[in-house]
Amino acid sequence: MVGLPRITYLRATSRTFMRASWDRRFGFSLLSIVLLTGCSGTSGSMGPSVDVVVMDAGVNDGEAPVMDAMPAPDASPMGKLLFVSPDDSSDGDGRRRTPFGSIEAAYGVAVPGDIVVLLPGEYSGLMGPPEGVLVQGSGADVTSIQGPVVLRAARVGLSEVSVVGGRPALTVDGTATVDTVTLRDAPAALVVTGELEARELRVSEVRDASAEPRSFDGPTPSSGAAVRVADGGRLVWRGGGISRCDWVGLRNLGEASLDGVNIRDLGGPGLVNEAGLLDGRRLQVERVSAAAVLVLGGDIELEDSSVRDTEETPLVPLRSGVAAYGGTALLSAIDIARVNRGLRLSRGAQVIVSGVQITQPTIDGVSMDEARIDGARVTVVGARNTGLSAVSESEINLTQLEIQDVGRIGLLVNGSTAHVEGLTVAGSDGRGVTLSGAQGTLSGIHLSRIQNVGIQVSDPGGPQTIQNGVIERSSTSGIALTGRQHEVVISGVTVSAIAIGDAGLGEGIHLFRARGALIGVTSHGNAGAGVLVEESTLRSDGLAVRENAGPGIVLIGSGPETAL
């Protein structure tokens, strides 16, 4: 698509214009200067920043002009300039001094490549321009059009205007470019069924609370949204944003690509992907409701973006950063803070992460059920409940999972599979890791400052291995095993400095009615026994116990299969 040239219309007095060139005692009656710089845009680009500048200077103190006015331009690098006045009584020929009195009159003579220039003022309506024609206002703050506006033709453009009202304010059915446009004060702002390239598009004051309550913890919003990309539609949006809207910011069913768009102060989710592809880079989403990003289907890719201060809505109790109920998501360099759940994954959602930090979630950093997460570098700081919770046949495949200062459990895996390489839990008011009915491998572990059991394994659901790492400066037990369904293998782990905690225990490793294997394990400097085995089966190789306050190894009711 050919880029949209920008025509800048300015007014100035001789006191502020060209002071260095003209003496202040002289004034200008009218000066129009046109800088024809040429269109530097190329096919598929967003076009140059400025192609045409029209400057209109007023009279200075009523004195005589020093020069005659220069003639207004009648051509741009792309075609003719056709000026339009908001005064419908004007009966001009489209020149700057003699503008058309209606947009329709300009359309009547426009050919592809022409630019219709709207002079400052309010316009009652705008029919879509003919194919290849661009409509340029004099600035979104001084040129407004009463919506709705429909762009149906191919290769049309709209820039430097505000569209006020309409349901929606702007519809794009053809192929269009918009630049520095504001859509406001409407029940809906934009619907894209064709193709739209937008630069510095701003959407605000969309007031239409058309949301519906739902019965589960994640919202299924109604069809109401400030911006909607329909199935088959395509939106490319650079700069600008969405603010002060009653419900969903942008709903995508087609293809949407956003870069540098700010989304804030909404009564519903910031972005909703129902189908198709949503690609977002350098986004800032803050003070929205229910979820900053909600995935119900399709594919979403987010990179180098931040989420802040998601709020509850009366319709749903969710306050998530990214909530995925189905679909797939790729999250890279994402910063999430002050939500109740950083990532809420459910209903078969599949997420790949590469650098996600979640700070101060009021419930969980990551909460999963029937979902899958893969990738690397997830950090959760200050979760009041759980750093990462995976239940109901979820699957975790992560490297470098770091959890700090949680209120209840660092990592909770229940009835699910977890393979984590490089697990750090530094500070938990409850347990460091709870594996219940779980299976998988934890390797490269470092747990410290755990108030009640470093790793608790209960009723393994399949093969479970804990290997290579350190558990230190914690309470009750470094590792506690219960359940005989499957043997739990612990290898290359050092447990030390376990203090007396709940039930008066301070053991390095505790087996109760369990099956375990300790391979190359060291337990030392603990307040209780190095290893306590109760009614369990244990096999070991290379086990080292030393400098514990209690006995090195205590066996209670263990059978003949126990081999030390």
Side-chain angles (χ1 to χ4, degrees):
M1 184 182 301
V2 176
L4 178 63
R6 181 179 298 176
I7 303 175
T8 302
Y9 175 76
L10 305 173
R11 294 188 62 86
T13 68
S14 60
R15 292 188 185 276
T16 59
F17 179 67
M18 298 179 69
R19 286 181 178 174
S21 303
W22 301 95
D23 191 286
R24 290 188 182 182
R25 59 186 175 156
F26 298 114
F28 311 6
S29 59
L30 175 67
L31 176 63
S32 296
I33 299 178
V34 179
L35 306 179
L36 301 181
T37 61
C39 182
S40 60
T42 58
S43 178
S45 73
M46 297 302 294
S49 59
V50 175
D51 289 299
V52 181
V53 178
V54 180
M55 306 187 80
D56 186 8
V59 175
N60 179 33
D61 302 328
E63 297 183 8
V66 298
M67 59 187 295
D68 292 334
M70 296 174 63
D74 60 2
S76 79
M78 299 185 68
K80 299 189 300 297
L81 299 180
L82 304 172
F83 290 88
V84 177
S85 168
D87 181 4
D88 57 11
S89 64
S90 175
D91 188 22
D93 58 3
R95 292 177 178 269
R96 169 70 185 86
R97 291 187 185 177
T98 55
F100 289 119
S102 69
I103 299 172
E104 289 77 9
Y107 287 170
V109 299
V111 298
D114 288 351
I115 302 174
V116 176
V117 181
L118 306 182
L119 298 177
E122 298 180 1
Y123 293 80
S124 59
L126 175 66
M127 295 174 57
E131 180 176 346
V133 173
L134 313 178
V135 177
Q136 167 83 52
S138 301
D141 56 338
V142 296
T143 310
S144 65
I145 301 169
Q146 183 64 43
V149 173
V150 180
L151 304 180
R152 288 195 172 94
R155 298 180 296 108
V156 297
L158 180 67
S159 69
E160 300 288 351
V161 299
S162 292
V163 181
V164 182
R167 191 183 185 99
L170 176 63
T171 299
V172 176
D173 287 337
T175 56
T177 301
V178 301
D179 187 350
T180 319
V181 169
T182 298
L183 309 176
R184 60 180 174 87
D185 298 314
L190 172 64
V191 172
V192 180
T193 57
E195 297 186 13
L196 173 63
E197 293 188 16
R199 180 171 59 185
E200 298 300 329
L201 171 65
R202 287 173 169 80
V203 174
S204 65
E205 306 299 340
V206 177
R207 303 300 184 190
D208 182 27
S210 56
E212 300 173 4
R214 301 290 174 173
S215 60
F216 64 100
D217 72 338
T220 301
S222 71
S223 59
V227 177
R228 184 173 182 269
V229 182
D231 184 11
R234 179 176 180 269
L235 169 65
V236 177
W237 186 349
R238 305 288 181 261
I242 305 172
S243 63
R244 299 187 299 280
C245 301
D246 281 342
W247 192 230
V248 175
L250 182 147
R251 175 187 299 273
N252 179 57
L253 293 90
E255 182 178 348
S257 176
L258 281 63
D259 190 345
V261 177
N262 297 330
I263 302 170
R264 57 173 55 94
D265 299 315
L266 307 185
L271 302 172
V272 175
N273 199 66
E274 291 192 30
L277 173 64
L278 175 60
D279 175 18
R281 288 175 171 79
R282 299 186 299 153
L283 307 183
Q284 294 183 10
V285 186
E286 58 187 9
R287 299 190 302 276
V288 302
S289 299
V293 179
L294 175 61
V295 183
L296 301 176
D299 304 307
I300 184 168
E301 298 181 8
L302 293 181
E303 179 180 351
D304 192 20
S305 299
S306 65
V307 171
R308 294 285 187 277
D309 300 304
T310 303
E311 301 294 338
E312 288 187 3
T313 167
L315 300 176
V316 289
L318 196 65
R319 287 182 55 219
S320 294
V322 177
Y325 294 86
T328 63
L330 174 60
L331 308 177
S332 177
I334 307 298
D335 187 6
I336 301 172
R338 297 186 295 277
V339 297
N340 68 4
R341 292 179 175 91
L343 304 182
R344 176 71 178 99
L345 314 178
S346 184
R347 303 190 177 189
Q350 300 184 49
V351 176
I352 299 174
V353 295
S354 178
V356 174
Q357 174 151 331
I358 302 165
T359 306
Q360 297 179 334
T362 58
I363 301 179
D364 301 330
V366 180
S367 178
M368 305 170 55
D369 66 86
E370 299 179 5
R372 174 171 175 161
I373 187 168
D374 296 83
R377 301 191 308 281
V378 175
T379 301
V380 179
V381 179
R384 293 184 187 176
N385 188 51
T386 303
L388 190 155
S389 170
V391 303
S392 302
E393 299 183 354
S394 292
E395 185 172 347
I396 302 169
N397 297 285
L398 291 176
T399 60
Q400 295 178 273
L401 171 60
E402 181 175 356
I403 299 169
Q404 302 175 19
D405 300 315
V406 296
R408 182 168 163 261
I409 301 172
L411 171 63
L412 169 64
V413 183
N414 189 333
S416 299
T417 301
H419 298 283
V420 180
E421 180 178 354
L423 169 64
T424 298
V425 180
S428 172
D429 292 343
R431 292 176 180 170
V433 176
T434 295
L435 307 174
S436 178
Q439 61 182 322
T441 302
L442 305 182
S443 64
I445 64 173
H446 188 183
L447 277 65
S448 63
R449 298 186 290 110
I450 310 302
Q451 297 303 307
N452 184 12
V453 183
I455 299 178
Q456 172 74 58
V457 181
S458 303
D459 301 322
Q464 181 71 67
T465 301
I466 301 167
Q467 62 189 23
N468 303 330
V470 174
I471 302 172
E472 61 181 352
R473 294 182 291 126
S474 299
S475 299
T476 306
S477 298
I479 300 175
L481 310 181
T482 63
R484 295 191 173 97
Q485 291 89 335
H486 296 274
E487 181 181 69
V488 177
V489 178
I490 302 169
S491 66
V493 174
T494 296
V495 180
S496 66
I498 303 301
I500 299 296
D502 290 352
L505 298 176
E507 275 60 44
I509 299 171
H510 185 188
L511 284 71
F512 180 75
R513 296 178 180 174
R515 291 168 55 198
L518 304 180
I519 313 298
V521 170
T522 298
S523 179
H524 73 92
N526 303 300
V531 179
L532 173 58
V533 182
E534 295 186 82
E535 302 177 28
S536 300
T537 299
L538 172 66
R539 63 184 180 89
S540 68
D541 184 8
L543 172 62
V545 291
R546 64 178 184 270
E547 299 174 359
N548 297 289
I553 300 174
V554 177
L555 302 177
I556 301 175
S558 296
E561 294 180 1
T562 294
L564 300 177

